[in-house]
Amino acid sequence: MPNSKDRSGNISRAVFLMKIRIESLHSMSKYCFSFVLLGTFLFLTGCGVSDKELPANPWNKAEQIVSQIQEPQIPENLFKLSEYGAKSDGITDNKPIFDRIIEACTEAGGGCIYVEAGSYLVNGPIHLKSHMELHLEEGAKLVFGTEPAYYLPVVLTSWEGTRCYNYSPFIYAIGATDVAITGKGEIDGNAAESWTSWKQLQDPDKKLIRKMNNESVPLEARVFGAGHYLRPHLVQFYESENILVEDVKISDSPFWCLHFVYSKNIKVRDISYEAFNYNNDGIDPESSSNILIEGVTFNNGDDNIAIKAGRDLEARTLGIPCRNIVVRDCKFKGYNAIAVGSEMSGGVHDVYVENCSYDGKVIYGFYLKGNQDRGGMVHDIYVRNIEFDTTRSTIMIDSNYKNQGSCCPPTFKNIFIENISASHASDHGIFLKGSPQVHLDSVFITKLEIGSARVPFDASYTDFLVMNQVSIGGESFDLSGGVAEWNKFASPETGREIWQISSDTAPAVACYFERQAFTSDEKYVIYASRSSGVWRLNRMDLETGVIRAITPEGRRVMDDDYTVMPDGQRVCYLDGWKLYAIHVESMEEDLLFDYTGLLPDQPLYTGSFTNDGKYTLVYVRGDTLTAIYRTNLESGEVVEVHRQPGGKITHPLINPEDPEVITYVPGPDTQNDMSLPMEQRARSWKIDMEAGTDLQYLTVPYGYRATHESWSHNGERFFFFRKTRPGWRPVAICSQDKNGEDIQVHYESDTIRLGHGTTSWDGRWFVSDSQEPGKNELVLVNLESGKAEVLCWPNSSVSGGHDARAHVHPSFSPGGNYVCFTSDYTGVSQVYVVPVGDLTTLRN
């Protein structure tokens, strides 16, 4: 019996530079980048540092995987085809001969079926059994018949990631142990003039099988075969183990060439290809494990190696990953060299590819692909020492393959690529695309050189991207920290720089103005986005522009109802009856308070805290009852501080330094009823905690109205807008002291319809928007000098009454270096940041 060969690859330690600090890249013209995200340019800045750590030597596991693979144990029984009357004339059907030999070999407990030199026509499938080796002597060729009926009855198989019953693969083993195909002969699918025509006929069956998958149709009802047009595989091992495929040549396959399904302990060595029909993937491990692929010379009409794990609902439900795969010393030629997906719903992990080169042109060199119907997680993929000649794109990671699906975005994370070269990429050098819901996470590329590329680098929705010693077209593309997703542009009206930090077809919104959107160290700005289908909170790194979703999947935040807490590092929000806090840096969630059973109705969030973080407010607002509740987060005490039958209340606020001072605006707003005596008119009322009564707190003279109040950070001043009534102008930014006295006018405008605003933490500055629909300003006011400067024109629609997504609602960062706001001037609300440190920290 032929001896099986064993190789051990030259495994050297992979070194990835995990923490790099680079200077910001300010010039788009200097670097021929193409950062495209939904029609905007992406700008990269440095200084981001990954918190991920690479194992000391991840390639040690590759050797462990190889050492654990059990090769098949084949009994020393030899069954020569010629001794059973086979004819090697290429005309006589040898299917009956193979059936007799397989039966005899099975009765003998296994052995080697030896095919001597010559051409053998086989009109039907060869079904291998346990402890059986099919050996093709050099010069031997199996040529399979072209009549579909030869490959019936149907067998259990997997077609493009969905289980079904279909035409038998030409060489097939199911539930077999210790099985091999060896020798320097050829397996010829003979499909070019027959099965390839089915490609044009298969669409109805493709749609049907995918529908069956996603509707959980029972497997026994998924029967194809006669009357259907799903092409069979050439060689398939199903639920088998201890498999060897060595030396043979594979050609002219009807569909995928060599397919392993739910199998393990597999070695594929030194085989070669001439397979150019539609979907002639070379090797497709699917939901299989412990695999070595080495010394293979590819020349086929689709993916050379495509690692898969089933598709859609069925594979996500089964949850069988493809894992522990080592690929080395191969030569690539054809469509895609190394691919993972697009059928990867069961997950793929621990893949090691090294020391490979090209035997010709490939389309995509290294290609991870999934789409919005797949789900699944691909992680811990290691690639090193790969040479390509000409590619269309050298490195591709695409979460939206063929722009299909909507329910289940895939996850790609922990991808390590080292020492890759290509002479030219006719399209992209590097293309990275996550999804808005699930960004690419932790992609490390080091020592990559591409001679030239039409688009050197294109990336979106990518977190923790590190590129070191990356050269494309002679330009350096080193990067640490991730891909920026902001769009920086100059205000057409003022020339001041504006950062658009969200850019999507889904709405995004900054929090309401008296709340806090920035962490205390001004490292992050927090905003809410509905890009994942529900409102989730995101953080953007103000230094790098990298964005990450921070609230758990499934958590529902009420658009602008959140605030950074007084500790400056956690964000607070309600979901149902529960009040949560998320740590912005670590993204760990705390349950702050559960109001279940304590309140008459599900609470609404005010975002109002005392500076010590001890007290906060929630309120309920129903048809028959409105009430405000103060919560002591240390003691757990919940106190109803105000109750009002019917009507509604707005703007409940607690003084930042005095939890006994709580204000609100009643509904209806009594200040607008000019028939009432002055003692019954007030914009804001103060709750007397001891007396249990409410007192007038903010009252302006007849002919005026007050709106949109907020506390200064130190709790000493209560700011509001004083407007003429009827009409809006003139509008003044005013404040009164904590006792409701000493009203001051800080700024007044006859031209700008001032609407919402808040003070800087140091009390020196006030930022306000305008409520002129469609054409409005963002104004910075110096409270000490009374001078004002227009920062930019948000141009928000200010539609929908008090719709927060249309209102600008600006707010300061704690250090006064940034202002954030919301605008829907693009047609959907998005979040913006304006750097103002040159004004607020340098000028008085």
Side-chain angles (χ1 to χ4, degrees), residues 479-531:
L479 167 69
S480 175
V483 174
E485 297 188 24
W486 52 28
N487 173 26
K488 291 183 176 180
F489 61 94
S491 166
E493 295 82 12
T494 67
R496 178 164 290 278
E497 186 176 65
I498 302 172
W499 303 348
Q500 181 179 346
I501 68 171
S502 64
S503 182
D504 206 331
T505 56
V509 64
C511 68
Y512 206 63
F513 62 89
E514 69 265 22
R515 300 172 195 156
Q516 183 51 252
F518 297 86
T519 53
S520 58
D521 55 8
E522 295 193 333
K523 182 177 181 181
Y524 299 110
V525 62
I526 311 300
Y527 71 96
S529 172
R530 209 172 64 196
S531 61

Short mmCIF file of all heavy atoms in Angstrom, two decimals, residues 479-531:
data_model
loop_
_atom_site.label_atom_id
_atom_site.label_comp_id
_atom_site.label_asym_id
_atom_site.label_seq_id
_atom_site.Cartn_x
_atom_site.Cartn_y
_atom_site.Cartn_z
N LEU A 479 -0.90 52.66 10.80
CA LEU A 479 -2.06 53.18 11.52
C LEU A 479 -2.23 52.41 12.81
O LEU A 479 -2.02 51.21 12.87
CB LEU A 479 -3.32 53.01 10.65
CG LEU A 479 -4.68 53.20 11.33
CD1 LEU A 479 -4.85 54.66 11.69
CD2 LEU A 479 -5.78 52.73 10.43
N SER A 480 -2.64 53.12 13.85
CA SER A 480 -2.96 52.47 15.11
C SER A 480 -4.26 53.03 15.64
O SER A 480 -4.47 54.22 15.62
CB SER A 480 -1.85 52.70 16.14
OG SER A 480 -2.21 52.16 17.39
N GLY A 481 -5.12 52.15 16.11
CA GLY A 481 -6.27 52.59 16.88
C GLY A 481 -7.61 52.46 16.21
O GLY A 481 -8.62 52.58 16.86
N GLY A 482 -7.68 52.26 14.94
CA GLY A 482 -8.99 52.11 14.32
C GLY A 482 -9.18 53.06 13.16
O GLY A 482 -8.34 53.89 12.86
N VAL A 483 -10.31 52.92 12.50
CA VAL A 483 -10.64 53.75 11.36
C VAL A 483 -11.59 54.85 11.80
O VAL A 483 -12.64 54.59 12.38
CB VAL A 483 -11.29 52.92 10.24
CG1 VAL A 483 -11.76 53.80 9.11
CG2 VAL A 483 -10.30 51.89 9.73
N ALA A 484 -11.21 56.08 11.53
CA ALA A 484 -12.07 57.20 11.89
C ALA A 484 -13.31 57.21 11.01
O ALA A 484 -13.24 56.94 9.82
CB ALA A 484 -11.31 58.51 11.72
N GLU A 485 -14.44 57.53 11.62
CA GLU A 485 -15.68 57.55 10.86
C GLU A 485 -16.32 58.93 10.84
O GLU A 485 -17.49 59.08 10.51
CB GLU A 485 -16.65 56.51 11.43
CG GLU A 485 -16.10 55.10 11.27
CD GLU A 485 -17.10 54.04 11.66
OE1 GLU A 485 -18.30 54.29 11.61
OE2 GLU A 485 -16.66 52.94 12.01
N TRP A 486 -15.54 59.93 11.21
CA TRP A 486 -16.07 61.28 11.14
C TRP A 486 -15.85 61.88 9.77
O TRP A 486 -15.00 61.45 9.00
CB TRP A 486 -15.47 62.17 12.21
CG TRP A 486 -13.96 62.20 12.29
CD1 TRP A 486 -13.05 61.99 11.29
CD2 TRP A 486 -13.19 62.43 13.48
NE1 TRP A 486 -11.77 62.09 11.76
CE2 TRP A 486 -11.82 62.38 13.10
CE3 TRP A 486 -13.52 62.71 14.79
CZ2 TRP A 486 -10.79 62.57 14.02
CZ3 TRP A 486 -12.49 62.91 15.69
CH2 TRP A 486 -11.15 62.83 15.30
N ASN A 487 -16.60 62.90 9.48
CA ASN A 487 -16.39 63.71 8.29
C ASN A 487 -16.08 65.12 8.76
O ASN A 487 -16.93 65.80 9.32
CB ASN A 487 -17.65 63.69 7.42
CG ASN A 487 -17.55 64.66 6.25
OD1 ASN A 487 -16.46 64.97 5.79
ND2 ASN A 487 -18.69 65.12 5.77
N LYS A 488 -14.86 65.55 8.57
CA LYS A 488 -14.45 66.89 9.00
C LYS A 488 -14.61 67.84 7.82
O LYS A 488 -14.13 67.57 6.72
CB LYS A 488 -13.01 66.89 9.47
CG LYS A 488 -12.77 66.14 10.77
CD LYS A 488 -11.30 66.28 11.18
CE LYS A 488 -11.03 65.63 12.53
NZ LYS A 488 -9.62 65.76 12.95
N PHE A 489 -15.26 68.96 8.06
CA PHE A 489 -15.42 69.94 7.00
C PHE A 489 -15.51 71.34 7.61
O PHE A 489 -15.77 71.50 8.81
CB PHE A 489 -16.65 69.64 6.15
CG PHE A 489 -17.95 69.65 6.91
CD1 PHE A 489 -18.73 70.80 6.96
CD2 PHE A 489 -18.41 68.51 7.57
CE1 PHE A 489 -19.94 70.82 7.66
CE2 PHE A 489 -19.60 68.51 8.27
CZ PHE A 489 -20.38 69.68 8.31
N ALA A 490 -15.31 72.33 6.80
CA ALA A 490 -15.37 73.72 7.26
C ALA A 490 -16.78 74.25 7.06
O ALA A 490 -17.41 74.02 6.02
CB ALA A 490 -14.38 74.57 6.49
N SER A 491 -17.29 74.95 8.06
CA SER A 491 -18.60 75.58 7.94
C SER A 491 -18.58 76.56 6.78
O SER A 491 -17.72 77.44 6.73
CB SER A 491 -18.96 76.31 9.23
OG SER A 491 -20.06 77.18 9.02
N PRO A 492 -19.50 76.43 5.82
CA PRO A 492 -19.52 77.38 4.70
C PRO A 492 -19.75 78.82 5.15
O PRO A 492 -19.31 79.75 4.48
CB PRO A 492 -20.69 76.87 3.84
CG PRO A 492 -20.89 75.45 4.24
CD PRO A 492 -20.52 75.40 5.69
N GLU A 493 -20.45 78.99 6.27
CA GLU A 493 -20.78 80.34 6.72
C GLU A 493 -19.67 80.99 7.54
O GLU A 493 -19.46 82.21 7.46
CB GLU A 493 -22.07 80.33 7.56
CG GLU A 493 -23.32 79.92 6.79
CD GLU A 493 -23.47 78.41 6.67
OE1 GLU A 493 -22.72 77.67 7.37
OE2 GLU A 493 -24.32 77.97 5.88
N THR A 494 -18.97 80.21 8.36
CA THR A 494 -17.99 80.81 9.28
C THR A 494 -16.57 80.31 9.06
O THR A 494 -15.63 80.92 9.59
CB THR A 494 -18.39 80.49 10.74
OG1 THR A 494 -18.24 79.08 10.98
CG2 THR A 494 -19.82 80.92 11.02
N GLY A 495 -16.41 79.20 8.35
CA GLY A 495 -15.08 78.64 8.16
C GLY A 495 -14.60 77.78 9.31
O GLY A 495 -13.54 77.17 9.23
N ARG A 496 -15.36 77.70 10.40
CA ARG A 496 -14.96 76.90 11.56
C ARG A 496 -15.11 75.41 11.23
O ARG A 496 -16.04 75.00 10.56
CB ARG A 496 -15.77 77.27 12.79
CG ARG A 496 -15.45 76.43 14.03
CD ARG A 496 -15.96 77.05 15.29
NE ARG A 496 -15.21 78.26 15.62
CZ ARG A 496 -14.03 78.25 16.24
NH1 ARG A 496 -13.48 77.11 16.62
NH2 ARG A 496 -13.41 79.38 16.51
N GLU A 497 -14.17 74.61 11.74
CA GLU A 497 -14.19 73.17 11.49
C GLU A 497 -15.36 72.51 12.23
O GLU A 497 -15.62 72.80 13.39
CB GLU A 497 -12.87 72.54 11.95
CG GLU A 497 -12.75 71.06 11.59
CD GLU A 497 -11.42 70.47 11.96
OE1 GLU A 497 -11.11 70.41 13.18
OE2 GLU A 497 -10.67 70.09 11.05
N ILE A 498 -16.03 71.60 11.53
CA ILE A 498 -17.14 70.83 12.10
C ILE A 498 -16.83 69.35 11.88
O ILE A 498 -16.34 68.96 10.81
CB ILE A 498 -18.48 71.19 11.42
CG1 ILE A 498 -18.75 72.69 11.56
CG2 ILE A 498 -19.62 70.38 12.02
CD1 ILE A 498 -19.95 73.15 10.76
N TRP A 499 -17.14 68.54 12.87
CA TRP A 499 -16.97 67.10 12.75
C TRP A 499 -18.35 66.44 12.72
O TRP A 499 -19.09 66.50 13.70
CB TRP A 499 -16.20 66.52 13.93
CG TRP A 499 -14.84 67.11 14.16
CD1 TRP A 499 -14.13 67.93 13.32
CD2 TRP A 499 -14.03 66.93 15.32
NE1 TRP A 499 -12.94 68.27 13.87
CE2 TRP A 499 -12.84 67.67 15.11
CE3 TRP A 499 -14.19 66.23 16.50
CZ2 TRP A 499 -11.82 67.72 16.06
CZ3 TRP A 499 -13.18 66.27 17.45
CH2 TRP A 499 -12.00 67.00 17.22
N GLN A 500 -18.70 65.82 11.61
CA GLN A 500 -19.91 65.01 11.57
C GLN A 500 -19.51 63.62 12.04
O GLN A 500 -18.79 62.91 11.35
CB GLN A 500 -20.50 64.96 10.17
CG GLN A 500 -21.78 64.13 10.09
CD GLN A 500 -22.39 64.11 8.69
OE1 GLN A 500 -22.02 64.89 7.84
NE2 GLN A 500 -23.32 63.19 8.49
N ILE A 501 -19.99 63.21 13.19
CA ILE A 501 -19.48 61.97 13.79
C ILE A 501 -20.38 60.78 13.53
O ILE A 501 -19.99 59.65 13.76
CB ILE A 501 -19.23 62.13 15.30
CG1 ILE A 501 -20.54 62.32 16.06
CG2 ILE A 501 -18.29 63.27 15.56
CD1 ILE A 501 -20.37 62.25 17.55
N SER A 502 -21.61 61.00 13.09
CA SER A 502 -22.45 59.88 12.65
C SER A 502 -22.82 60.15 11.20
O SER A 502 -23.01 61.30 10.80
CB SER A 502 -23.71 59.76 13.51
OG SER A 502 -24.53 60.91 13.37
N SER A 503 -22.89 59.08 10.43
CA SER A 503 -23.18 59.25 9.02
C SER A 503 -23.85 57.99 8.53
O SER A 503 -23.20 57.02 8.18
CB SER A 503 -21.90 59.51 8.23
OG SER A 503 -22.16 59.72 6.87
N ASP A 504 -25.16 58.00 8.52
CA ASP A 504 -25.89 56.78 8.21
C ASP A 504 -27.27 57.16 7.70
O ASP A 504 -27.70 58.30 7.81
CB ASP A 504 -26.01 55.91 9.48
CG ASP A 504 -26.16 54.44 9.15
OD1 ASP A 504 -26.69 54.13 8.07
OD2 ASP A 504 -25.74 53.62 9.97
N THR A 505 -27.97 56.18 7.15
CA THR A 505 -29.36 56.41 6.77
C THR A 505 -30.27 56.33 7.98
O THR A 505 -31.43 56.76 7.90
CB THR A 505 -29.80 55.38 5.72
OG1 THR A 505 -29.57 54.06 6.25
CG2 THR A 505 -28.99 55.54 4.44
N ALA A 506 -29.77 55.77 9.08
CA ALA A 506 -30.54 55.71 10.32
C ALA A 506 -30.30 56.98 11.13
O ALA A 506 -29.23 57.58 11.06
CB ALA A 506 -30.15 54.48 11.13
N PRO A 507 -31.29 57.41 11.93
CA PRO A 507 -31.09 58.63 12.72
C PRO A 507 -30.12 58.42 13.87
O PRO A 507 -29.96 57.32 14.39
CB PRO A 507 -32.50 58.93 13.23
CG PRO A 507 -33.20 57.61 13.26
CD PRO A 507 -32.64 56.84 12.10
N ALA A 508 -29.48 59.52 14.26
CA ALA A 508 -28.64 59.56 15.45
C ALA A 508 -28.93 60.88 16.15
O ALA A 508 -29.37 61.85 15.52
CB ALA A 508 -27.16 59.46 15.08
N VAL A 509 -28.72 60.93 17.45
CA VAL A 509 -29.07 62.14 18.21
C VAL A 509 -28.14 62.27 19.41
O VAL A 509 -27.75 61.28 20.03
CB VAL A 509 -30.56 62.08 18.66
CG1 VAL A 509 -30.81 60.94 19.60
CG2 VAL A 509 -31.01 63.40 19.25
N ALA A 510 -27.76 63.52 19.70
CA ALA A 510 -27.03 63.83 20.92
C ALA A 510 -28.02 64.02 22.06
O ALA A 510 -29.20 64.28 21.83
CB ALA A 510 -26.18 65.09 20.73
N CYS A 511 -27.56 63.89 23.29
CA CYS A 511 -28.48 63.98 24.41
C CYS A 511 -28.97 65.42 24.61
O CYS A 511 -28.37 66.37 24.12
CB CYS A 511 -27.87 63.45 25.69
SG CYS A 511 -26.52 64.42 26.36
N TYR A 512 -30.07 65.55 25.34
CA TYR A 512 -30.72 66.84 25.57
C TYR A 512 -29.75 67.79 26.26
O TYR A 512 -28.89 67.37 27.03
CB TYR A 512 -31.96 66.61 26.43
CG TYR A 512 -33.04 67.64 26.24
CD1 TYR A 512 -33.67 67.78 25.01
CD2 TYR A 512 -33.42 68.45 27.29
CE1 TYR A 512 -34.67 68.72 24.84
CE2 TYR A 512 -34.42 69.38 27.14
CZ TYR A 512 -35.05 69.52 25.91
OH TYR A 512 -36.03 70.46 25.75
N PHE A 513 -29.88 69.08 26.01
CA PHE A 513 -28.81 70.04 26.27
C PHE A 513 -28.36 70.12 27.72
O PHE A 513 -27.19 70.36 28.00
CB PHE A 513 -29.20 71.43 25.76
CG PHE A 513 -30.41 72.04 26.41
CD1 PHE A 513 -30.30 72.79 27.56
CD2 PHE A 513 -31.67 71.85 25.86
CE1 PHE A 513 -31.42 73.35 28.14
CE2 PHE A 513 -32.79 72.41 26.43
CZ PHE A 513 -32.67 73.17 27.59
N GLU A 514 -29.29 69.98 28.71
CA GLU A 514 -28.85 70.12 30.10
C GLU A 514 -28.17 68.86 30.61
O GLU A 514 -27.67 68.82 31.73
CB GLU A 514 -30.01 70.49 31.03
CG GLU A 514 -31.04 69.40 31.24
CD GLU A 514 -32.22 69.56 30.29
OE1 GLU A 514 -32.05 70.21 29.25
OE2 GLU A 514 -33.29 69.03 30.59
N ARG A 515 -28.13 67.81 29.80
CA ARG A 515 -27.42 66.60 30.17
C ARG A 515 -26.00 66.63 29.61
O ARG A 515 -25.64 67.54 28.89
CB ARG A 515 -28.19 65.38 29.67
CG ARG A 515 -29.59 65.31 30.26
CD ARG A 515 -30.43 64.23 29.64
NE ARG A 515 -31.84 64.46 29.98
CZ ARG A 515 -32.85 64.01 29.26
NH1 ARG A 515 -32.61 63.31 28.15
NH2 ARG A 515 -34.09 64.24 29.62
N GLN A 516 -25.23 65.61 29.92
CA GLN A 516 -23.82 65.62 29.55
C GLN A 516 -23.55 64.53 28.51
O GLN A 516 -23.89 63.37 28.71
CB GLN A 516 -22.95 65.39 30.77
CG GLN A 516 -21.46 65.46 30.49
CD GLN A 516 -21.06 66.72 29.75
OE1 GLN A 516 -20.73 66.68 28.57
NE2 GLN A 516 -21.10 67.85 30.43
N ALA A 517 -22.93 64.92 27.38
CA ALA A 517 -22.64 63.99 26.31
C ALA A 517 -21.17 63.59 26.25
O ALA A 517 -20.81 62.71 25.47
CB ALA A 517 -23.05 64.59 24.96
N PHE A 518 -20.33 64.23 27.06
CA PHE A 518 -18.89 63.98 27.00
C PHE A 518 -18.41 63.36 28.31
O PHE A 518 -18.89 63.71 29.38
CB PHE A 518 -18.12 65.29 26.78
CG PHE A 518 -18.42 65.98 25.48
CD1 PHE A 518 -19.49 66.85 25.38
CD2 PHE A 518 -17.61 65.78 24.37
CE1 PHE A 518 -19.75 67.51 24.19
CE2 PHE A 518 -17.87 66.43 23.18
CZ PHE A 518 -18.95 67.30 23.08
N THR A 519 -17.42 62.47 28.21
CA THR A 519 -16.77 61.98 29.42
C THR A 519 -15.93 63.11 30.03
O THR A 519 -15.54 64.05 29.34
CB THR A 519 -15.89 60.77 29.13
OG1 THR A 519 -14.99 61.08 28.06
CG2 THR A 519 -16.75 59.57 28.73
N SER A 520 -15.65 63.00 31.32
CA SER A 520 -15.00 64.10 32.03
C SER A 520 -13.59 64.38 31.52
O SER A 520 -13.11 65.51 31.60
CB SER A 520 -14.95 63.79 33.53
OG SER A 520 -14.28 62.57 33.77
N ASP A 521 -12.92 63.36 30.98
CA ASP A 521 -11.57 63.57 30.44
C ASP A 521 -11.61 64.04 28.99
O ASP A 521 -10.56 64.20 28.37
CB ASP A 521 -10.75 62.28 30.55
CG ASP A 521 -11.43 61.08 29.88
OD1 ASP A 521 -12.47 61.26 29.19
OD2 ASP A 521 -10.94 59.95 30.05
N GLU A 522 -12.82 64.27 28.47
CA GLU A 522 -13.02 64.70 27.09
C GLU A 522 -12.42 63.73 26.07
O GLU A 522 -12.06 64.10 24.97
CB GLU A 522 -12.47 66.11 26.86
CG GLU A 522 -13.19 67.18 27.66
CD GLU A 522 -12.86 68.59 27.22
OE1 GLU A 522 -11.76 68.80 26.69
OE2 GLU A 522 -13.72 69.47 27.40
N LYS A 523 -12.34 62.47 26.45
CA LYS A 523 -11.83 61.46 25.52
C LYS A 523 -12.92 61.01 24.56
O LYS A 523 -12.66 60.74 23.39
CB LYS A 523 -11.29 60.25 26.29
CG LYS A 523 -10.70 59.17 25.38
CD LYS A 523 -10.11 58.02 26.17
CE LYS A 523 -9.51 56.97 25.23
NZ LYS A 523 -8.93 55.82 25.98
N TYR A 524 -14.16 60.93 25.06
CA TYR A 524 -15.26 60.40 24.25
C TYR A 524 -16.45 61.35 24.23
O TYR A 524 -16.72 62.05 25.22
CB TYR A 524 -15.75 59.06 24.80
CG TYR A 524 -14.73 57.95 24.82
CD1 TYR A 524 -14.21 57.48 26.03
CD2 TYR A 524 -14.28 57.37 23.63
CE1 TYR A 524 -13.28 56.46 26.05
CE2 TYR A 524 -13.35 56.35 23.65
CZ TYR A 524 -12.85 55.90 24.87
OH TYR A 524 -11.93 54.89 24.89
N VAL A 525 -17.16 61.36 23.12
CA VAL A 525 -18.50 61.93 23.06
C VAL A 525 -19.46 60.76 22.87
O VAL A 525 -19.17 59.81 22.14
CB VAL A 525 -18.64 62.97 21.93
CG1 VAL A 525 -18.40 62.35 20.55
CG2 VAL A 525 -20.02 63.62 21.98
N ILE A 526 -20.60 60.81 23.57
CA ILE A 526 -21.58 59.74 23.53
C ILE A 526 -22.79 60.21 22.72
O ILE A 526 -23.24 61.35 22.87
CB ILE A 526 -22.05 59.35 24.95
CG1 ILE A 526 -20.83 59.14 25.86
CG2 ILE A 526 -22.93 58.11 24.90
CD1 ILE A 526 -19.88 58.06 25.41
N TYR A 527 -23.31 59.34 21.88
CA TYR A 527 -24.52 59.67 21.14
C TYR A 527 -25.33 58.40 20.92
O TYR A 527 -24.82 57.28 21.04
CB TYR A 527 -24.19 60.35 19.81
CG TYR A 527 -23.57 59.45 18.76
CD1 TYR A 527 -24.35 58.84 17.78
CD2 TYR A 527 -22.21 59.20 18.75
CE1 TYR A 527 -23.80 58.01 16.83
CE2 TYR A 527 -21.64 58.37 17.80
CZ TYR A 527 -22.43 57.78 16.83
OH TYR A 527 -21.88 56.96 15.90
N ALA A 528 -26.61 58.59 20.61
CA ALA A 528 -27.50 57.46 20.36
C ALA A 528 -27.72 57.32 18.86
O ALA A 528 -27.80 58.31 18.13
CB ALA A 528 -28.83 57.65 21.07
N SER A 529 -27.80 56.07 18.39
CA SER A 529 -28.04 55.81 16.98
C SER A 529 -28.99 54.63 16.84
O SER A 529 -28.98 53.72 17.66
CB SER A 529 -26.72 55.49 16.27
OG SER A 529 -26.96 55.04 14.94
N ARG A 530 -29.79 54.67 15.79
CA ARG A 530 -30.71 53.56 15.51
C ARG A 530 -30.21 52.73 14.33
O ARG A 530 -31.00 52.07 13.65
CB ARG A 530 -32.11 54.11 15.23
CG ARG A 530 -33.22 53.11 15.61
CD ARG A 530 -34.59 53.73 15.51
NE ARG A 530 -34.92 54.12 14.15
CZ ARG A 530 -35.89 54.94 13.80
NH1 ARG A 530 -36.63 55.50 14.76
NH2 ARG A 530 -36.14 55.24 12.56
N SER A 531 -28.91 52.75 14.07
CA SER A 531 -28.37 52.03 12.92
C SER A 531 -28.53 50.53 13.04
O SER A 531 -28.55 49.82 12.05
CB SER A 531 -26.89 52.38 12.73
OG SER A 531 -26.14 51.99 13.86
#
